[in-house]
Amino acid sequence: MMKRFFLFISFCIVSYSLAYPQTVQYTQIFDKAIKTLEIKVDGYDFSNPVIALNSPDVLKISFDELSFDFKNYSYKIEHCNADWTLSNISEFDYINGINLNDIIDYRQSINTTFDYTHYVFYIPNENIRPTISGNYIISVFDNNNPNHIFFKVRLSVVDEKTNITGVVKANTDLGIKTKYQQIDFDVITRDYQVQDPFSEIKVYIRQNGRIDNEVTDIKPTYLMGNKLSYSNNRATIFEGGNEYRSLEISNIRILDDNVKDIIYANPYYHVEMFGDVPRNKKAYSDIYDVNGKYVINLQNNHYDKELEADYMFVHFVLPMDPPFFNGNIYLAGGFNFQMLNEQSRMQYMNDSKSYEQTLILKQGGYNYQYLFVPKGSVKGSSEPIEGSYWETENEYEIFIYHRPPGCRYDKLIGYKILNSR
């Protein structure tokens, strides 16, 4: 355990270098002291960072910084195109208010082994409000040094101009009830004007918040009046995958089924996991999950779970002999924004014949899975380790963007969540 601990500490001091193009904006952390970055509709633990334009809904952005030293954080918001590159419009075109605000809501942790300060802010608020639909990126930085960005976070604002109906099918163009799921859907534009749907409309489909296998740039199969139909399109076929694995560490005295032990090795807690077993050759098992999301929780807390929940070193282990020589294994879930990069890559240990990774996680309940990425690819597959099954319950988000002739940005005119059952 201590060997893995020191390997992890050595790894942490390396600066964050992501494998994704930097022109595209992602939810990502650039400072290792920032932990548990969350963005969700206020009051809804498992919601996605999407709100309706001019609605009463508010997005809550929260994070911890691993110290008791108050930091002067500020934030700004920028509009993005459908592909999450920055829009070529002025901030006066997309916000009402001042686009430079301080984060002033903060509190310190209570009786934890890790000292941390918990910060919270909301969008929209009395100082700033988005005025148009589309994608947005929020950058949080040192207000004394705007070039020092601590993290970025994505959100979307939808102005519903369409109705979206659809189904997730097990009968796909690649087989019937095999390992795939296919998305068929219709977009009803009602009285909203679209001159050329093939050039003006952009569709994005995301499975469980993942971006590595996101579907983009699909065209309608056929048009009928004000209905755009997207059916029997091979581009909308996804691996069914498997239900996410779960980890519960909200109580240090009651161990989850896959936790061997929680020990205190001064000055911090360590969660020793049993080795995870590959599931690719097993029959499908209907296990409840929350599609990769997580929730901070502390059983029997007396005051506030956000301040009393402690951080722990969690040691993930995936026995594998021999290892994969044609690709890498990544640990994916909402806790790391489903990013498949160096921070989520499992390290193979020859002495233990296993893939291992250690993360600092706040107490709560987590979903995670192992994805295999072949060399030369950025797209993960669940099949080599988790298996892939048509029965798996998945969440699919459909985003409909429109850029009319002469418009300089992509409007988000439709948003729908489909579940595979």
Side-chain angles (χ1 to χ4, degrees):
M1 181 194 73
M2 295 308 295
K3 178 180 179 181
R4 291 197 297 270
F5 170 71
F6 287 117
L7 283 171
F8 175 75
I9 293 300
S10 299
F11 178 73
C12 275
I13 65 176
V14 179
S15 61
Y16 278 51
S17 59
L18 301 177
Y20 296 95
Q22 293 305 297
T23 53
V24 176
Q25 304 297 310
Y26 296 95
T27 296
Q28 54 187 327
I29 296 172
F30 301 103
D31 190 299
K32 64 179 181 296
I34 302 297
K35 300 294 180 184
T36 318
L37 171 60
E38 297 185 276
I39 178 168
K40 55 192 175 185
V41 179
D42 190 25
Y44 299 90
D45 278 334
F46 299 118
S47 56
N48 299 317
V50 180
I51 57 173
L53 184 67
N54 298 322
S55 76
D57 289 337
V58 174
L59 288 169
K60 177 183 178 182
I61 301 99
S62 62
F63 62 97
D64 295 335
E65 194 274 332
L66 296 184
S67 80
F68 273 172
D69 299 327
F70 170 71
K71 302 296 193 303
N72 294 311
Y73 293 116
S74 296
Y75 65 90
K76 67 177 180 179
I77 184 169
E78 296 172 277
H79 194 273
C80 295
N81 298 311
D83 62 0
W84 290 97
T85 57
L86 294 178
S87 302
N88 186 28
I89 58 177
S90 165
E91 65 182 43
F92 299 107
D93 295 325
Y94 61 81
I95 61 166
N96 182 11
I98 302 172
N99 199 9
L100 182 61
N101 293 280
D102 296 334
I103 302 174
I104 59 175
D105 185 350
Y106 65 94
R107 294 175 295 165
Q108 294 176 330
S109 61
I110 300 172
N111 297 325
T112 55
T113 60
F114 273 87
D115 293 338
Y116 63 86
T117 304
H118 183 69
Y119 295 82
V120 178
F121 65 103
Y122 300 86
I123 297 292
N125 56 54
E126 61 183 8
N127 296 324
I128 189 169
R129 176 178 294 272
T131 57
I132 62 175
S133 67
N135 295 335
Y136 288 87
I137 193 78
I138 295 176
S139 299
V140 172
F141 52 90
D142 184 339
N143 65 6
N144 295 315
N145 181 9
N147 293 322
H148 185 184
I149 298 175
F150 290 89
F151 65 83
K152 293 185 177 184
V153 63
R154 285 178 170 187
L155 66 95
S156 296
V157 177
V158 58
D159 186 9
E160 295 280 3
K161 302 295 185 183
T162 64
N163 292 333
I164 305 172
T165 60
V167 294
V168 181
K169 304 189 309 180
N171 296 347
T172 76
D173 290 357
L174 296 180
I176 298 175
K177 292 186 176 181
T178 56
K179 60 183 180 181
Y180 299 109
Q181 295 175 345
Q182 186 162 358
I183 316 303
D184 282 0
F185 63 100
D186 296 328
V187 179
I188 313 298
T189 58
R190 304 193 299 244
D191 57 352
Y192 183 74
Q193 296 299 311
V194 179
Q195 297 181 27
D196 182 4
F198 290 93
S199 63
E200 297 176 23
I201 296 294
K202 300 174 184 176
V203 176
Y204 283 68
I205 306 176
R206 200 173 297 153
Q207 181 194 55
N208 300 330
R210 288 173 57 184
I211 56 178
D212 63 290
N213 65 345
E214 183 178 55
V215 169
T216 66
D217 196 31
I218 59 174
K219 303 301 181 184
T221 309
Y222 65 87
L223 310 178
M224 183 180 294
N226 64 352
K227 180 172 77 172
L228 316 179
S229 182
Y230 298 79
S231 60
N232 299 320
N233 190 325
R234 286 202 171 201
T236 64
I237 297 177
F238 292 79
E239 278 188 348
N242 205 341
E243 309 298 345
Y244 280 77
R245 301 172 190 260
S246 65
L247 169 65
E248 176 64 52
I249 52 172
S250 60
N251 191 319
I252 62 174
R253 295 178 178 82
I254 301 177
L255 301 183
D256 195 16
D257 289 342
N258 57 348
V259 174
K260 183 189 303 182
D261 200 3
I262 298 179
I263 62 173
Y264 179 74
N266 192 20
Y268 302 119
Y269 285 101
H270 292 256
V271 179
E272 289 293 315
M273 306 269 291
F274 288 110
D276 281 319
V277 177
R279 301 183 291 172
N280 58 319
K281 295 181 181 179
K282 296 184 177 182
Y284 171 77
S285 180
D286 187 6
I287 302 171
Y288 174 77
D289 70 355
V290 288
N291 297 318
K293 298 173 183 177
Y294 70 97
V295 62
I296 299 305
N297 188 36
L298 180 61
Q299 295 182 19
N300 302 319
N301 66 304
H302 302 290
Y303 177 58
D304 189 334
K305 64 182 181 181
E306 300 293 352
L307 304 182
E308 290 188 272
D310 209 343
Y311 279 90
M312 301 178 176
F313 288 95
V314 181
H315 304 279
F316 293 89
V317 180
L318 177 67
M320 188 74 61
D321 188 20
F324 291 96
F325 295 104
N326 60 338
N328 292 303
I329 302 297
Y330 293 83
L331 183 64
F335 57 89
N336 61 10
F337 324 116
Q338 304 278 12
M339 295 286 279
L340 308 183
N341 54 28
E342 281 304 304
Q343 285 68 55
S344 60
R345 185 167 65 91
M346 300 289 289
Q347 308 293 318
Y348 191 74
M349 301 297 180
N350 287 308
D351 55 349
S352 62
K353 305 296 182 184
S354 63
Y355 286 94
E356 301 182 13
Q357 178 62 281
T358 299
L359 301 178
I360 301 176
L361 296 179
K362 197 172 185 178
Q363 285 183 275
Y366 292 83
N367 273 185
Y368 68 97
Q369 66 175 334
Y370 297 103
L371 297 177
F372 172 75
V373 179
K375 289 182 178 179
S377 176
V378 296
K379 183 177 179 179
S381 171
S382 64
E383 189 173 8
I385 297 175
E386 306 292 5
S388 186
Y389 307 90
W390 65 268
E391 303 100 319
T392 303
E393 190 277 320
N394 290 303
E395 176 186 276
Y396 293 93
E397 296 174 271
I398 302 175
F399 298 81
I400 308 297
Y401 298 91
H402 180 222
R403 180 175 292 202
C407 188
R408 294 181 295 125
Y409 69 95
D410 294 322
K411 303 178 179 182
L412 180 55
I413 61 170
Y415 175 72
K416 181 74 172 181
I417 295 176
L418 297 179
N419 289 93
S420 51
R421 55 181 160 86

